[in-house]
Amino acid sequence: MAKMKKTEVKPFKEMLLILRARLRGDVSTLANAALSKSSGGGSGSSSVPSHIADIGSDTFEQDNTILLMNNEGETLSQIEAALERIEEGVYGSCIECSGRIPKMRLKTIPYTPYCVKCASQLESENY
Ligand SMILES: [Zn+2]
């Protein structure tokens, strides 16, 4: 079975936690700070930088492309499921065929439970 290492999963977990927080409407400044930090090759510290106010809207706009791919309620439940798969150590594996989901795909849709092949099959069934 194709498993991702914990260190490989970590940045995706952070992305998922940030997306979830934002979808729930918890935080925006905190989430933005964490995101811009983790994309810069984070050191693992969880302290919040003091220059939050300096962070512009660029990061926010980039993220919206992720969120707009689904409606928010559906996305949120997919994020929850993805976080559960991280805890179970099966994140990064397709829940349909158990194949490995390419990292490029996870970077675009970190909460996807399917590989490219299965996702396109499911989509063609839905439409
Ligand atoms: Zn698959």
Side-chain angles (χ1 to χ4, degrees):
M1 188 164 152
K3 272 194 180 179
M4 285 173 80
K5 292 177 197 160
K6 269 191 177 173
T7 49
E8 290 179 296
V9 172
K10 193 166 176 263
F12 296 110
K13 184 178 179 179
E14 284 174 6
M15 271 177 81
L16 287 164
L17 290 172
I18 290 162
L19 288 172
R20 185 176 68 173
R22 187 170 300 167
L23 277 174
R24 285 173 168 178
D26 286 352
V27 274
S28 54
T29 49
L30 192 81
N32 277 331
L35 189 72
S36 67
K37 201 157 156 280
S38 65
S39 62
S43 59
S45 161
S46 60
S47 66
V48 182
S50 57
H51 56 275
I52 287 171
D54 294 341
I55 296 165
S57 58
D58 286 358
T59 326
F60 204 87
E61 279 167 35
Q62 276 177 358
D63 292 344
N64 284 344
T65 59
I66 297 173
L67 299 185
L68 286 171
M69 297 181 78
N70 272 304
N71 73 60
E72 292 196 354
E74 190 182 332
T75 304
L76 189 56
S77 60
Q78 284 183 319
I79 290 170
E80 297 284 1
L83 287 167
E84 273 173 33
R85 290 197 299 280
I86 288 175
E87 294 307 316
E88 289 163 15
V90 296
Y91 179 75
S93 299
C94 175
I95 63 172
E96 191 72 17
C97 71
S98 299
R100 188 160 192 156
I101 303 172
K103 272 194 202 171
M104 279 304 292
R105 176 168 169 76
L106 290 172
K107 278 179 186 172
T108 314
I109 321 169
Y111 47 79
T112 186
Y114 303 115
C115 67
V116 183
K117 199 179 77 182
C118 293
S120 62
Q121 265 173 6
L122 288 165
E123 269 174 33
S124 62
E125 283 169 19
N126 285 340
Y127 288 109

